[in-house]
Amino acid sequence: MYDINNIFAKILRAEIPCNKIEEDLYFLSFHDINPKASIHALVIPKGSYENAHDFADKATIQEIAGFWNGVNMTLAKLNLIQNGYRLITNSGLHGHQEVPHFHVHILGGQDLGSKMVMT
Ligand code: AMP
C-alpha cells in the first residue's frame, strides 16, 4: 500500500523543498540530499508508485515513457551522457529502499568503479 506521507510524495506536493533539476507532467528530478558521488540525482514519477515493480505493473504507457524521458532529460542536463553514469533503483528489504516512492538514482561526475558496492 502506497504511503502518501513519504518524503518524495511531500516533495511532489511542494510541502517540502528540493533542489530541482528538471520537471514535466510525468516526472521530477532533483539532487540527492546525501550524495554518494560527485553528481547524485534522483528521478521520480509524478504518479504514486511504490517501487520499480509497482511502476511497471500499474503505470500507463504514457507515464512509463514520460518517466524514462525524464531520466534522459536529467542525464543531458547534468552532462553525463558523454562520460557515462550509473542508474540504481532499490526495492524492499534486500534492496534497502528507504523512501517508498519509486525512484531511480543517477550517479556520475566521476569514475564510479567497475563493481556494485554492497555495504
Ligand atoms: P533509497 O534507499 O533508494 O530509497 O534512497 C532514498 C534516497 O533519498 C537517499 O539517497 C536519500 O539520501 C535521499 N533523500 C531522502 N530525503 C531526501 C530529500 N528530502 N531530498 C533529496 N533526497 C533525499
Side-chain angles (χ1 to χ4, degrees):
M1 179 85 129
Y2 181 81
D3 170 15
I4 61 165
N5 289 316
N6 75 74
I7 293 168
F8 295 169
K10 289 181 178 175
I11 287 176
L12 284 172
R13 293 195 297 267
E15 291 169 9
I16 61 171
C18 71
N19 187 359
K20 184 161 93 173
I21 302 167
E22 291 280 10
E23 179 176 22
D24 75 6
L25 194 60
Y26 295 105
F27 82 96
L28 171 68
S29 63
F30 50 95
H31 292 280
D32 196 292
I33 206 167
N34 183 20
K36 297 291 196 296
S38 304
I39 296 173
H40 185 172
L42 300 167
V43 187
I44 66 176
K46 292 262 171 108
S48 302
Y49 302 102
E50 200 172 331
N51 53 36
H53 173 76
D54 193 35
F55 185 65
D57 210 29
K58 298 183 187 139
T60 65
I61 295 296
Q62 286 87 351
E63 286 176 302
I64 292 170
F67 173 77
W68 286 107
N69 176 59
V71 172
N72 220 18
M73 283 176 66
T74 305
L75 290 170
K77 181 78 175 268
L78 296 172
N79 282 315
L80 291 175
I81 291 169
Q82 187 176 351
N83 287 333
Y85 52 84
R86 182 168 290 154
L87 302 182
I88 295 174
T89 187
N90 298 313
S91 178
L93 196 62
H94 286 185
H96 287 256
Q97 182 179 7
E98 287 170 23
V99 181
H101 181 108
F102 173 51
H103 53 281
V104 166
H105 297 253
I106 296 175
L107 299 166
Q110 63 175 86
D111 187 334
L112 298 164
S114 61
K115 298 277 193 298
M116 300 295 290
V117 178
M118 288 180 277
T119 54

